[in-house]
Amino acid sequence: MKVKKAVIPAAGFGTRFLPATKVVPKELLPIVDKPTIQYIMEEVALSGIEEVILITGREKGSIEDHFDTSTELENHLRKKGRDDLLKVVQEISGMVTLVSVRQKEPLGLGHAILCAKRVVGKEPFAVLLGDDLIDANVPCIRQMMKIYQDMDGALIAIQKVPRQEAHLYGIIKGKKVMDRVYSVEEMVEKPEKGKAPSNLAIIGRYILPPRIFDILERVKPDRRGEIQLTEGLKELNREVPIYGYEFIGDRYDAGDKFGYLQANLSFGLRHPEIGTKLKRYLKTLSSYC
Ligand code: UTP
């Protein structure tokens, strides 16, 4: 079945980025000159998905504003003859059809996805985490939609990570069934150090069947009161197959200080306006390293 809708959860508090995220959503922090979530919205649009369900929370209204038309700003740019910037601004609001749903309390990723139940309805849908940036020639979710055409169940993005970092991720144990595709046998959320069943980490892109909603409704909150998506996926895996897809591309955790800086450097070095200047500047820093 064709995937036509994408859910982008963006209601978390972003505590790893405080105090920057006290009033500014981490999803709006810029990677060079574009907010993280805009890269994600572009990935969705380039993948042919028609509708985005944005999960927002307190202090997150500015995300919706970013994707709305801004008549005042457009008039100002028109008056100033800045047609180049006018085009950039107009493209943002025309990207996709956006529906936003409020998650009243950030009760975990599983709960955030559950908030989209009514709008998604009874069809498979994509999930893209609002702070997970994937730089790829073919957009990651598009790669996944192609694989999903020939399968049932669920598809999750995975990536090999260094063994010593496995405890920071959800890790799968799986059997390779074709190039880059694993049949998932087990999933462990943030395994104890040295106890991860593999180095294949779950990354923030999923294609899920609507059945996940009924399951998430029954998942018990964890010790911190959060409903974890991984718990829902484990339950789902008892009913339908789940596959892991090792996508082609570079991934940045833009909700984490180090990942955010990595993304800025990587995109900055390729930016037509500042790339050469940045490269020159970084060379002058080599004495610090
Ligand atoms: P994270 O766990 O990275 O977000 O969730 P967080 O809770 O904001 O981060 P920290 O740990 O406090 O820094 C991944 C994505 O899921 C969303 C977040 O906004 C982020 O884009 N999310 C998370 C929700 O929408 N609701 C939640 O309850 C939790």
Side-chain angles (χ1 to χ4, degrees):
M1 214 170 155
K2 198 170 174 260
V3 175
K4 290 182 287 194
K5 295 179 181 171
V7 176
I8 304 186
F13 275 141
T15 51
R16 283 170 294 162
F17 239 122
L18 280 168
T21 47
K22 191 176 165 209
V23 286
V24 179
K26 64 174 167 181
E27 296 81 5
L28 281 186
L29 295 178
I31 307 296
V32 190
D33 50 7
K34 232 194 275 180
T36 304
I37 198 161
Q38 191 180 325
Y39 289 92
I40 294 165
M41 214 59 98
E42 284 171 2
E43 178 181 337
V44 167
L46 287 169
S47 301
I49 289 175
E50 294 155 15
E51 186 175 341
V52 169
I53 299 122
L54 182 71
I55 310 298
T56 64
R58 270 176 55 77
E59 307 286 0
K60 299 276 187 167
S62 47
I63 302 182
E64 288 158 80
D65 294 345
H66 181 75
F67 292 103
D68 204 352
T69 29
S70 171
T71 319
E72 260 177 48
L73 175 64
E74 289 178 20
N75 284 342
H76 173 78
L77 293 172
R78 227 173 261 122
K79 241 197 261 162
K80 295 265 166 203
R82 293 302 307 265
D83 290 352
D84 52 339
L85 290 177
L86 183 64
K87 189 166 169 268
V88 169
V89 166
Q90 284 175 333
E91 269 170 10
I92 301 170
S93 48
M95 223 169 260
V96 286
T97 304
L98 196 69
V99 174
S100 72
V101 177
R102 185 106 170 194
Q103 185 188 21
K104 291 200 178 98
E105 254 187 283
L107 295 176
L109 180 58
H111 181 262
I113 292 172
L114 189 51
C115 293
K117 178 176 178 177
R118 281 238 211 118
V119 191
V120 168
K122 298 208 177 310
E123 50 186 285
F125 61 102
V127 176
L128 299 92
L129 299 195
D131 59 353
D132 228 337
L133 191 57
I134 296 180
D135 183 21
N137 286 338
V138 177
C140 178
I141 204 70
R142 186 168 174 171
Q143 296 176 37
M144 292 174 71
M145 284 160 68
K146 186 150 188 276
I147 302 277
Y148 191 75
Q149 270 175 0
D150 307 317
M151 62 174 52
D152 281 328
L155 184 64
I156 59 185
I158 53 171
Q159 187 182 42
K160 289 194 177 109
V161 294
R163 282 264 175 193
Q164 62 275 21
E165 287 175 21
H167 65 285
L168 301 171
Y169 295 87
I171 298 288
I172 69 150
K173 180 176 169 220
K175 207 166 77 205
K176 197 165 185 174
V177 289
M178 57 173 149
D179 188 32
R180 297 187 165 269
V181 180
Y182 295 75
S183 160
V184 176
E185 291 164 354
E186 213 184 302
M187 276 167 276
V188 195
E189 185 59 35
K190 301 199 173 68
E192 268 178 57
K193 275 190 183 170
K195 293 210 174 141
S198 79
N199 65 339
L200 295 170
I202 303 173
I203 301 301
R205 300 286 184 274
Y206 311 78
I207 296 180
L208 303 174
R211 173 79 184 131
I212 192 72
F213 293 125
D214 303 327
I215 292 173
L216 285 172
E217 264 165 349
R218 290 197 317 259
V219 168
K220 297 252 174 323
D222 65 7
R223 273 180 294 124
R224 292 182 305 165
E226 293 188 355
I227 294 173
Q228 295 297 346
L229 175 62
T230 311
E231 288 311 306
L233 290 174
K234 280 188 203 165
E235 197 59 41
L236 182 71
N237 208 11
R238 295 208 182 101
E239 297 178 14
V240 296
I242 297 187
Y243 296 95
Y245 169 64
E246 220 186 323
F247 62 91
I248 303 168
D250 297 321
R251 178 256 179 180
Y252 303 93
D253 180 358
D256 163 84
K257 289 189 254 297
F258 186 68
Y260 178 76
L261 288 177
Q262 277 181 311
N264 267 293
L265 287 175
S266 173
F267 281 80
L269 284 167
R270 282 173 286 146
H271 195 282
E273 213 176 297
I274 60 158
T276 316
K277 224 165 144 184
L278 180 61
K279 198 185 233 169
R280 234 183 282 134
Y281 175 64
L282 289 178
K283 278 190 186 145
T284 69
L285 293 184
S286 60
S287 56
Y288 290 102
C289 307

